[in-house]
Amino acid sequence: MYRHALVALSLAALPVPVFATDWSQADIDKGLATVRGYEGAEECVHRAGTEVDYTVEQVDLNKDGTNELIVSAGPKELGNGSSVCFGQSGQNVHLLISDGAGGWKYEFGFDMTELVPHESNTEWPDLEFSMNASCFPIWRYYQGSYAMWKVCDGNKLIYADVAPWIKEGAVPRDAGAEKHASSKKQPSAYVHEGDLSGAEFDHNGSLMAVDPKRGLIIYKEPKASIRDVVKPGDVLVMAEKPWDMYDTNARIVGTSWVFKKGCAPVGYRVEGGLGRSWHTIVLRGEAPVRKKGTCEVAGLSKTSANAELRFENVED
C-alpha cells in the first residue's frame, strides 16, 4: 500500500496547467465602470449621435490562474464622424488587472487595433500596441505596473530610457534581465530543518514529514511545480506546542507560511486538528494575499488556496 501511495504522489507531482476561472458579470461590470472613468471619447461619441460600445476579453496574461480584462471601446454605430473620436485605429484598448481585493487596477488605455503579448524574462509578457502605423511601441511590466519600454522614433523602435522627449516613467532597458536574475534568488524559508523524520503525509501532491513531538510539518519532497520555491526541510507549519498524533480531540495552533517565487515567506496563524482519525490533519486560517505581480501583502483571505491546509497520511 505504501508503494502505491508513493506512485500516486509521483503522478501528482507532475506539473499541470493552471486554468483561470472567468470573472462573473458583476466583476466585469465593475471593470467597465473603471474603464468609463478613463475613456475620453464618451462626449465626442455622444455628439455624433451614438454611444460607446465596449467589448471585454478575459486573458490570463501572466499564467497565474487569474484573468485580466482587455476592454475595447469603439462607436456603437458608425457615421457622423463617430470613428474619428477614437483616432486612426477607430477604437481604444484598455487593460485592467485584478487588485486582489475585489476591484480593478487600471493599467492603460490607448488608440490601437490590438494588444499583442510577447514572451519576456519577467513574470508578465511584454505588450505590443498594434496600430495603424509602421512602428508599434512595446510596454514592459516593471515595479508593479506596465510602462514604456520601447517607443517609436519615426519608423524605428528605440528604448524609452534613451528617448530625449521622455523625461520620466520609462522602464530601464535592462529591466527584464534584472528581474530574470533576481527571480532565480529564492529567499530562504523562515524555518528550515535538517531532520526530516516524521510520519509521511501528502499535501497537494507534496510529501510532508509530520512530527507531532516537535510540533512541525515539513516539506520532505516538494512537488515538481514548487521545487524552485520550497526545498526539502522547509517548514510549512510550526505549532505552538506538541500534539498527540492519535488523539482526535487534539487541537493544533501555530504558524504557517505562504511561499511565492522571489518573495520572502509570509507567516499567518492557523488552527485545527485531526479529522475523524489520525490519518487526516486540517488547519485553517486567514492567509495573506499578495498584490498582483509583487511581494507586497494586500490583505488576508479566508477563501484563498492557503486558507485551508489538508494533510493525508500515505503510510497505510
Side-chain angles (χ1 to χ4, degrees):
M1 179 66 179
Y2 175 60
R3 181 177 298 174
H4 292 309
L6 286 181
V7 171
L9 278 172
S10 299
L11 293 174
L14 293 175
V16 295
V18 177
F19 296 102
T21 301
D22 283 348
W23 292 101
S24 69
Q25 188 58 51
D27 291 316
I28 292 174
D29 290 342
K30 284 184 184 178
L32 289 175
T34 300
V35 168
R36 288 189 180 100
Y38 289 90
E39 179 52 66
E42 292 270 3
E43 185 177 347
C44 175
V45 171
H46 289 159
R47 288 199 302 267
T50 184
E51 60 187 49
V52 178
D53 184 41
Y54 294 96
T55 59
V56 179
E57 181 183 5
Q58 302 195 41
V59 181
D60 185 3
L61 289 173
N62 64 339
K63 309 302 181 187
D64 69 343
T66 301
N67 280 329
E68 285 66 55
L69 299 186
I70 299 175
V71 182
S72 301
K76 191 168 187 179
E77 297 176 354
L78 296 175
N80 298 325
S82 61
S83 61
V84 178
C85 300
F86 296 94
Q88 292 184 339
S89 300
Q91 69 171 7
N92 292 330
V93 177
H94 306 263
L95 175 64
L96 298 176
I97 294 177
S98 169
D99 64 6
W104 294 99
K105 178 189 174 191
Y106 183 84
E107 285 293 306
F108 55 71
F110 294 105
D111 164 25
M112 71 179 86
T113 58
E114 187 181 7
L115 194 60
V116 182
H118 290 276
E119 185 177 352
S120 79
N121 288 332
T122 72
E123 295 177 358
W124 293 78
D126 293 336
L127 296 178
E128 175 187 280
F129 297 175
S130 180
M131 302 174 171
N132 289 331
S134 56
C135 178
F136 305 146
I138 298 175
W139 282 35
R140 170 160 284 188
Y141 198 87
Y142 178 64
Q143 294 185 341
S145 63
Y146 274 100
M148 299 171 288
W149 184 50
K150 292 182 179 181
V151 295
C152 295
D153 183 9
N155 295 328
K156 181 177 65 175
L157 269 180
I158 64 172
Y159 287 106
D161 63 354
V162 297
W165 63 90
I166 297 176
K167 303 304 181 183
E168 58 183 19
V171 174
R173 71 182 69 186
D174 58 351
E178 292 173 356
K179 181 76 173 181
H180 186 61
S182 64
S183 68
K184 294 180 179 179
K185 300 176 183 178
Q186 176 63 29
S188 300
Y190 189 79
V191 179
H192 185 87
E193 282 286 327
D195 182 358
L196 301 185
S197 60
E200 294 185 333
F201 281 66
D202 169 62
H203 172 59
N204 295 334
S206 293
L207 187 64
M208 314 296 293
V210 176
D211 189 344
K213 293 182 179 180
R214 288 187 290 163
L216 298 177
I217 300 179
I218 309 166
Y219 278 102
K220 188 170 185 176
E221 294 179 13
K223 61 184 178 182
S225 60
I226 63 171
R227 285 176 191 161
D228 58 346
V229 182
V230 296
K231 305 299 181 186
D234 288 351
V235 173
L236 178 60
V237 178
M238 174 179 282
E240 293 178 352
K241 60 181 182 179
W243 72 89
D244 185 337
M245 185 167 182
Y246 303 104
D247 181 4
T248 56
N249 294 316
R251 193 72 181 160
I252 304 172
V253 178
T255 301
S256 184
W257 286 270
V258 172
F259 296 84
K260 181 180 179 180
K261 187 174 181 180
C263 302
V266 179
Y268 64 106
R269 181 182 176 85
V270 291
E271 299 182 30
L274 280 60
R276 295 182 178 179
S277 74
W278 65 272
H279 299 83
T280 303
I281 300 171
V282 180
L283 305 174
R284 297 182 178 89
E286 290 187 275
V289 177
R290 288 186 169 95
K291 287 185 178 180
K292 195 100 170 186
T294 74
C295 295
E296 185 179 350
V297 174
L300 302 176
S301 171
K302 294 181 179 180
T303 59
S304 71
N306 297 301
E308 179 176 291
L309 306 176
R310 182 175 291 272
F311 306 89
E312 302 284 348
N313 183 263
V314 301
E315 295 184 333
D316 284 354

